[in-house]
Amino acid sequence: MADFIANTKRVLLRFKTAVKTFFWNVRRVVNNFKKRIGKFLDKHNLNVASKFPGWAKALLYLSPALIVLSIFTFWPIINSFALVVYENYNMSNNTITGYTVFGNFLTVITDESFIIPAAHTGSSAVINTLIIVFISVPISVLLALFIAVALNSIKPLKSFFQTIYFLPYVTNTIAIGLVFAYMFRSDGGLVNQLLGMVGIQAQGLSWVESGAVYWRSMFVLIFYSIWSSLAFKIMVFLTSIQGIDKQYYQAAAIDATPRGRIFTNITVPLISPMIFYILVTSVIGAFKIYNAIVALFGVSGAPPGVDYNLQSIVMYIYQFIDGSNAGNLSVAAAASLILFAIILVLTLVQMQVSKKRVHY
Amino acid sequence: MELRLENLTKIFTNKTGAETTAVDKLDITIESGTLVGLLGPSGCGKSTTLFMIAGLVKPTGGKIFFGDDDVTKLAPEKRGIGLVFQNYALYPHMTVFKNIIFPLENLDVPRDEAIERVKEMANLVGIGELLDRKPSQLSGGQQQRVAIARALVKKPRVLLLDEPLSNLDARLRLQMREEIKRIQREIGITTIFVTHDQEEAMSISDKMVVLDFGKEQQYDAPQVMYNNPTNLFVAKFLGNPPINTFEAEVKKGYLILNDQKFAKVDITDGLYDIGMRPENFRVKEDGFKAKINEIFHIGRDTMIHFELNGKNIRALVDSDSIDDSNESVSLTIKNERIYIFDKETGQVVNHG
């Protein structure tokens, strides 16, 4: 048996050597070939590469991405600026009745479910989105920071815990949403059972089904969006924490620095560029929230039979594309430009604030 | 405060279970207020020793005493040490002032006194004007001073410096050496610093420890160690250009070089390792004849290469005493400047 293992090892080793030698020789042949081609091209003054300036080459290599981006990103952006000045644009026969500068914006702003809560719903897309952004983003960033620090300081089972916290990232959003909806079921849902266990009478308490009050469904939605966005943030924070020079911590240890001060005075400032990056991207991401709501409440954006609506700005925009008001693309363009403006202003504010707080 | 290491040992075990003895039964007593250099080639355990004194590395065996206190099991923050890291570890997001005051914020010090102490310390190390700069706006030497100020501001019992000058350029290194010595004198703090540069260690330490493979080779004042090395390793490690070493025989009380009686020595016959420092040769009429193989002029000195017992030997002599046309030269070396080492143990046999 031992003989067999030894022989197998030897054969495998020989095989490995043969493979490596083969690729080595292939590379030699290829290199030779390239050299010969180059010589030939130089001799006949045919070398195209040397005749093009650097930017032309760069453009050539960038072109695949640029073409795709222009078709699916740049053109729609430009087009939305065009769409927004059309009056009564009809998508099916591509006609308009005239031009307007602010008409479509006014339509959006005065629309009942965009900013102003509609009489029969009691909530609006902008209010919903702002609530989600300003509650879920700070909580998830802080939580991710604490979890990352905790994960960094544990020794045993480190990779196990890292995997667990990273799982939401590789799981399908809709699937998680369905599981959440199931967990928050009024009848026999996990959450209600747990509440019952700690002595809160929660039998039949409705979270995402008919009869759920606004803040209960909003709580589930925020809880869900925090949890599903946590994984990526933890990963980013963890890697940047691991990149901090150990000597800072040793120096702090010698100076008898308490844990809290190490966290606020060393860890946080040293990874502040990453925190800022995460903050900006999560604010943008939260403003664009869509599939979380769909996963929990369906395309209507509300539990059945309630008088409010949980739809976000993006859901509001989508309804003009394929929802109840399909075809009114000018209004959709106006709404998306408003969303763009809100995000832009908030990002600029964040950048201003960060100038003092972020240490590069 | 006196610092004492008793049988200090550190053994690292890697994943496969192989053991490396980084520090081997170190027994050193460092007198109060002295500046002691831990010197040795890289990987000899000098930084490990320093970090064990700091408490950042836990010793495998042995004890560390600060005065009469056994601090072996004490956490770093309770030992009362100041540590200057090799790359200073200044917090990049804090100003110089905040960096220096940082250790005091964790202590029970009134704010006014803390600010006073920071200013006093900054003036002592000569960075009083730079307090509101960030570390990235400072030169290497200034960063070094900030690091020293930060280590000293909480009035530690011991100051530890880990390769303090290795990140500085040659000229600045010379200047900072003197600075460190001056600051240490002014405060009178027991200081230990680690270096692999023998010249640096010799120029600033009151005493130095030479380590090799975690073992103490010699613990003495620099000049004593230079003139009386206890073994071949110390002799080879100190001095630039390095000591000449070669094999030679001792017969009937005489050292035989180039098949001639070279010097009378008082040791048993046998084969020995001989060490002669290049700068100990003198050009003198009544010396031995040496055929010059090569000659180099290096400023105030001239280096000549010649052969002894088939080995190339370097001698550093006064430039005035020799010129390029000379084909041979007559050299002498004092008897007490010939170091004879046992071939087996490497211990010196004709000194001490």
Side-chain angles (χ1 to χ4, degrees), chain A residues 245 247-258 261-262 264-267 269-270 359-360, chain B residues 51 54 56 76-77 81 83 85-87 89-94 102-103 105-106 134 150 154:
Chain A
D245 194 337
Q247 292 208 327
Y248 294 127
Y249 292 109
Q250 291 182 333
I254 281 168
D255 295 335
T257 319
R261 268 175 58 76
I262 290 181
T264 53
N265 282 350
I266 297 174
T267 308
L270 286 177
H359 312 277
Y360 290 101
Chain B
F51 283 136
L56 296 172
E77 67 267 20
I81 44 160
L83 177 56
F85 289 89
Q86 184 169 3
N87 52 13
L90 296 177
Y91 307 121
H93 53 282
M94 298 182 191
F102 191 81
E105 286 179 32
N106 309 319
K134 289 268 179 76
R150 185 178 69 178
K154 57 181 177 175

Side-chain angles (χ1 to χ4, degrees), chain A residues 79-302:
Chain A
N79 204 18
S80 70
F81 279 96
L83 277 171
V84 92
V85 295
Y86 294 164
E87 216 173 54
N88 298 327
Y89 174 62
N90 190 324
M91 196 162 59
S92 50
N93 51 19
N94 208 17
T95 55
I96 51 171
T97 58
Y99 295 98
T100 167
V101 182
F102 297 114
N104 289 313
F105 289 109
L106 278 177
T107 316
V108 172
I109 289 168
T110 53
D111 189 0
E112 275 214 312
S113 49
F114 187 69
I115 296 179
I116 312 152
H120 65 284
T121 60
S123 68
S124 75
V126 170
I127 292 175
N128 288 336
T129 310
L130 288 178
I131 288 173
I132 294 165
V133 170
F134 285 103
I135 294 180
S136 78
V137 171
I139 292 178
S140 68
V141 170
L142 282 179
L143 209 58
L145 205 51
F146 286 123
I147 292 172
V149 171
L151 279 178
N152 189 48
S153 56
I154 55 168
K155 288 261 152 55
L157 295 175
K158 191 172 193 166
S159 46
F160 172 71
F161 283 111
Q162 286 180 3
T163 314
I164 284 188
Y165 278 95
F166 192 62
L167 273 180
Y169 190 70
V170 291
T171 315
N172 184 299
T173 326
I174 303 290
I176 300 171
L178 292 175
V179 173
F180 258 72
Y182 196 77
M183 274 165 58
F184 280 96
R185 256 180 5 156
S186 58
D187 230 13
L190 184 68
V191 175
N192 279 357
Q193 283 184 18
L194 283 175
L195 282 175
M197 262 181 223
V198 296
I200 298 163
Q201 197 42 254
Q203 197 57 39
L205 189 65
S206 182
W207 295 89
V208 290
E209 290 156 306
S210 60
V213 293
Y214 179 76
W215 282 107
R216 273 216 288 277
S217 356
M218 188 52 107
F219 170 79
V220 177
L221 178 58
I222 288 172
F223 189 83
Y224 168 83
S225 60
I226 290 174
W227 186 74
S228 60
S229 67
L230 218 47
F232 180 69
K233 290 173 189 156
I234 292 172
M235 187 183 65
V236 171
F237 289 150
L238 195 61
T239 24
S240 41
I241 287 172
Q242 280 163 352
I244 298 176
D245 194 337
K246 296 276 172 296
Q247 292 208 327
Y248 294 127
Y249 292 109
Q250 291 182 333
I254 281 168
D255 295 335
T257 319
R259 270 171 180 273
R261 268 175 58 76
I262 290 181
F263 177 72
T264 53
N265 282 350
I266 297 174
T267 308
V268 170
L270 286 177
I271 65 166
S272 56
M274 268 307 159
I275 298 177
F276 177 63
Y277 159 74
I278 285 290
L279 205 61
V280 170
T281 52
S282 0
V283 165
I284 294 172
F287 264 110
K288 297 195 297 183
I289 187 167
Y290 174 76
N291 49 9
I293 303 173
V294 172
L296 285 173
F297 305 106
V299 281
S300 64

Side-chain angles (χ1 to χ4, degrees), chain B residues 55-252:
Chain B
L56 296 172
V57 174
K58 286 196 172 40
T60 316
K63 282 185 170 154
I64 303 166
F65 290 92
F66 285 7
D68 294 326
D69 313 341
D70 181 354
V71 299
T72 319
K73 296 232 156 51
L74 221 54
E77 67 267 20
K78 294 193 181 116
R79 296 191 180 191
I81 44 160
L83 177 56
V84 176
F85 289 89
Q86 184 169 3
N87 52 13
Y88 320 135
L90 296 177
Y91 307 121
H93 53 282
M94 298 182 191
T95 60
V96 169
F97 177 81
K98 280 196 141 184
N99 260 296
I100 301 176
I101 207 168
F102 191 81
L104 294 179
E105 286 179 32
N106 309 319
L107 301 174
D108 183 25
V109 182
R111 194 173 144 74
D112 295 343
E113 194 199 319
I115 293 170
E116 204 47 53
R117 265 162 77 174
V118 170
K119 285 190 178 149
E120 190 189 326
M121 200 47 72
N123 287 330
L124 177 78
V125 300
I127 47 156
E129 287 85 59
L130 308 172
L131 283 176
D132 44 2
R133 297 244 195 121
K134 289 268 179 76
S136 56
Q137 297 166 313
L138 301 179
S139 69
Q142 289 166 335
Q143 289 185 21
Q144 168 77 278
R145 287 161 199 260
V146 177
I148 293 174
R150 185 178 69 178
L152 288 175
V153 75
K154 57 181 177 175
K155 301 190 173 146
R157 297 194 281 180
V158 182
L159 177 64
L160 306 173
L161 306 157
D162 184 18
E163 304 251 7
L165 306 171
S166 61
N167 281 358
L168 304 176
D169 64 66
R171 191 175 287 269
L172 205 54
R173 206 175 287 185
L174 222 65
Q175 189 192 342
M176 278 315 290
R177 257 188 218 168
E178 288 155 16
E179 275 296 294
I180 289 175
K181 184 118 181 155
R182 175 185 68 80
I183 295 163
Q184 192 263 340
R185 282 279 170 281
E186 242 166 84
I187 299 179
I189 186 172
T190 312
T191 305
I192 302 175
F193 82 101
V194 158
T195 180
H196 58 262
D197 183 345
Q198 47 96 14
E199 202 184 324
E200 183 178 307
M202 290 184 70
S203 62
I204 70 170
S205 3
D206 296 317
K207 271 182 146 190
M208 53 188 204
V209 185
V210 172
L211 294 175
D212 188 30
F213 290 111
K215 278 200 175 68
E216 178 196 336
Q217 303 295 321
Q218 195 170 357
Y219 176 41
D220 254 320
Q223 208 52 40
V224 175
M225 201 183 277
Y226 189 75
N227 289 332
N228 296 306
T230 55
N231 59 35
L232 188 59
F233 178 81
V234 175
K236 274 182 168 170
F237 198 73
L238 300 182
N240 186 29
I243 192 165
N244 298 300
T245 56
F246 49 91
E247 276 184 1
E249 222 175 339
V250 171
K251 259 188 213 160
K252 294 173 191 153

